[in-house]
Amino acid sequence: MEVGTSKSPSNPAGTVDHGDPDPFQWDTREDCQVRQILDRVADKWSLLVIALLDGRCWRFTELRREIDGISQRMLTVTLRQLERDGLVKRTVHPVVPPRVDYELTPLGRTLHTTIRSLVMWTEDHQGEIAAAREAYDAAREAEMAEREAEAAARKPEAAAREAEAPTRESEAARRAR
Amino acid sequence: MEVGTSKSPSNPAGTVDHGDPDPFQWDTREDCQVRQILDRVADKWSLLVIALLDGRCWRFTELRREIDGISQRMLTVTLRQLERDGLVKRTVHPVVPPRVDYELTPLGRTLHTTIRSLVMWTEDHQGEIAAAREAYDAAREAEMAEREAEAAARKPEAAAREAEAPTRESEAARRAR
DNA sequence: CTGTATCCTTCTCGATACTG
DNA sequence: CAGTATCGAGAAGGATACAG
């Protein structure tokens, strides 16, 4: 598998040649390891499970209760994937009411740290994001209103004329469909 | 889509209070800010775009080329979301071949750092994960094989006996205890 | 309690075609 | 070049029922 996407050094019109000083050039191909693992790790439920799991053991039902909105199915599936990836250890106690404990592996604990920092980022900046969203939406709405005003100022004459005396052109256009 | 949900600090019905010594108790409810932002930020394409974007400006097509497998639609959608969240700045140059530049905002840059550490974690541990997966799959296969062997060893006699004298089986079972 | 199996809805996403 | 709009296939995921 060569890095087939030969990024031709020739730049398309107008882009500056910055010589790509980025040393952070990871494998961007769709089927590469990093992309696959990232998909798993960045999965909604995986993220929450890893973030929740700390030092101690958790029972299945306990996790289910703690993660609001997760279905039994998705918790099972997610835990299995995490177990397969070596991030979570599953321990079955062969007792009469079945009991299963889940806990982070050492590898999982290293990921836990990273993911927690992502969660903390989210907590720290949720205000800014909410504000940005409001600003964006407000701007869009203002834009829409302006456009409508423009249209309302222009169309009425045309629409009125059209209503009274449909032009031959417009009729022809309608028939064309 | 107002997020108007007033989040009362009280827990929703039924959650146990197990003393929770975890100081990292964030709002786990499905509709809370953190969960929503986490979903956005942990999104496959958002992650890749943020990870790719560094100091400089990027053109639309440039991003499209760099992110293998992304469709035009998803790139547009993703960039719009990131713009709305105040993570990416979009600059339209009103020139004859339309030109649009994308770059991280200061807020986006802080997230970039966090996400890069996630990507780096993935790069650092992809070997371990691959190994864990192999081990898991091998174990599962061995388990399957064993089960099949068991079944093959048990069923023929049982089935044969059962076919000759169906009533015997229950008696034998009872005696076995 | 901790799953597994099945069905069925929902929603994501890619392909395609068209616009400024 | 940089979108927007539309549509359909397919996957993700929830609900439910049942098993060990």
Side-chain angles (χ1 to χ4, degrees):
Chain A
M1 294 144 222
E2 9 75 270
V3 186
T5 54
S6 59
K7 309 177 250 166
S8 71
S10 67
N11 278 319
T15 54
V16 281
D17 187 351
H18 44 80
D20 201 349
D22 186 10
F24 184 62
Q25 182 53 37
W26 45 294
D27 191 345
T28 50
R29 274 163 307 156
E30 195 166 10
D31 54 351
C32 78
Q33 277 279 0
V34 173
R35 285 278 293 265
Q36 283 179 30
I37 297 174
L38 227 37
D39 272 8
R40 166 72 33 87
V41 145
D43 169 71
K44 173 183 180 172
W45 298 125
S46 298
L47 209 74
L48 291 174
V49 169
I50 296 281
L52 184 59
L53 259 48
D54 51 351
R56 73 176 178 97
C57 284
W58 292 71
R59 308 265 312 255
F60 184 86
T61 314
E62 215 175 346
L63 291 169
R64 186 157 165 38
R65 254 199 317 269
E66 215 60 28
I67 302 175
D68 185 47
I70 196 170
S71 65
Q72 188 176 44
R73 177 184 143 79
M74 285 320 291
L75 182 53
T76 302
V77 169
T78 302
L79 286 170
R80 284 291 182 286
Q81 290 175 338
L82 294 177
E83 188 195 0
R84 177 166 181 262
D85 289 348
L87 298 166
V88 161
K89 175 148 167 276
R90 179 167 172 268
T91 311
V92 182
H93 299 91
V95 293
V96 40
R99 170 184 178 142
V100 181
D101 284 338
Y102 293 94
E103 62 183 319
L104 290 175
T105 62
L107 178 60
R109 243 169 274 137
T110 67
L111 178 58
H112 176 78
T113 305
T114 305
I115 283 187
R116 258 178 75 144
S117 76
L118 184 64
V119 175
M120 286 191 296
W121 182 93
T122 304
E123 289 182 315
D124 290 347
H125 299 283
Q126 54 179 312
E128 291 169 75
I129 289 182
R133 286 181 181 174
E134 254 178 76
Y136 182 90
D137 293 346
R140 295 288 287 175
E141 198 151 330
E143 221 173 278
M144 288 263 295
E146 186 183 338
R147 218 154 272 183
E148 228 168 90
E150 258 179 53
R154 235 199 317 271
K155 209 177 77 185
E157 331 154 9
R161 248 203 309 274
E162 182 71 9
E164 286 172 31
T167 61
R168 275 174 272 292
E169 296 92 287
S170 61
E171 279 195 79
R174 205 164 294 120
R175 270 201 308 276
R177 293 172 229 136
Chain B
M1 280 138 216
E2 58 290 58
V3 193
T5 57
S6 59
K7 322 180 237 162
S8 68
S10 64
N11 277 326
T15 54
V16 282
D17 185 353
H18 45 71
D20 205 349
D22 186 10
F24 185 61
Q25 182 53 35
W26 45 296
D27 193 344
T28 50
R29 268 158 310 148
E30 195 164 11
D31 56 350
C32 77
Q33 278 278 0
V34 173
R35 285 278 295 264
Q36 283 179 31
I37 298 174
L38 228 36
D39 272 8
R40 166 73 31 87
V41 144
D43 169 71
K44 173 184 179 171
W45 297 124
S46 299
L47 209 75
L48 291 173
V49 170
I50 296 282
L52 185 60
L53 258 49
D54 51 351
R56 72 175 178 97
C57 284
W58 292 72
R59 309 260 318 250
F60 184 87
T61 315
E62 216 176 344
L63 291 169
R64 187 159 164 37
R65 254 200 317 270
E66 214 61 28
I67 302 175
D68 185 47
I70 197 170
S71 65
Q72 187 177 44
R73 177 184 143 80
M74 286 319 289
L75 182 54
T76 302
V77 170
T78 302
L79 286 170
R80 284 291 182 286
Q81 289 174 339
L82 294 177
E83 188 195 1
R84 177 167 183 261
D85 289 348
L87 298 166
V88 161
K89 174 146 167 277
R90 177 167 173 269
T91 311
V92 182
H93 300 91
V95 293
V96 41
R99 173 186 175 141
V100 182
D101 284 337
Y102 293 94
E103 61 183 318
L104 289 176
T105 61
L107 178 60
R109 244 169 272 136
T110 66
L111 179 57
H112 176 78
T113 306
T114 305
I115 283 188
R116 258 178 74 146
S117 76
L118 184 62
V119 175
M120 286 192 295
W121 182 92
T122 304
E123 289 181 314
D124 290 347
H125 298 283
Q126 53 179 312
E128 291 169 74
I129 289 182
R133 286 181 182 175
E134 254 179 77
Y136 182 90
D137 292 346
R140 294 290 287 176
E141 198 151 331
E143 220 173 279
M144 288 261 296
E146 185 184 337
R147 220 155 271 184
E148 230 168 90
E150 256 179 55
R154 231 200 318 269
K155 211 176 78 183
E157 337 155 4
R161 246 205 308 271
E162 187 68 12
E164 286 172 30
T167 54
R168 282 295 249 314
E169 200 252 345
S170 54
E171 276 192 83
R174 204 165 293 123
R175 271 202 308 275
R177 291 176 221 133

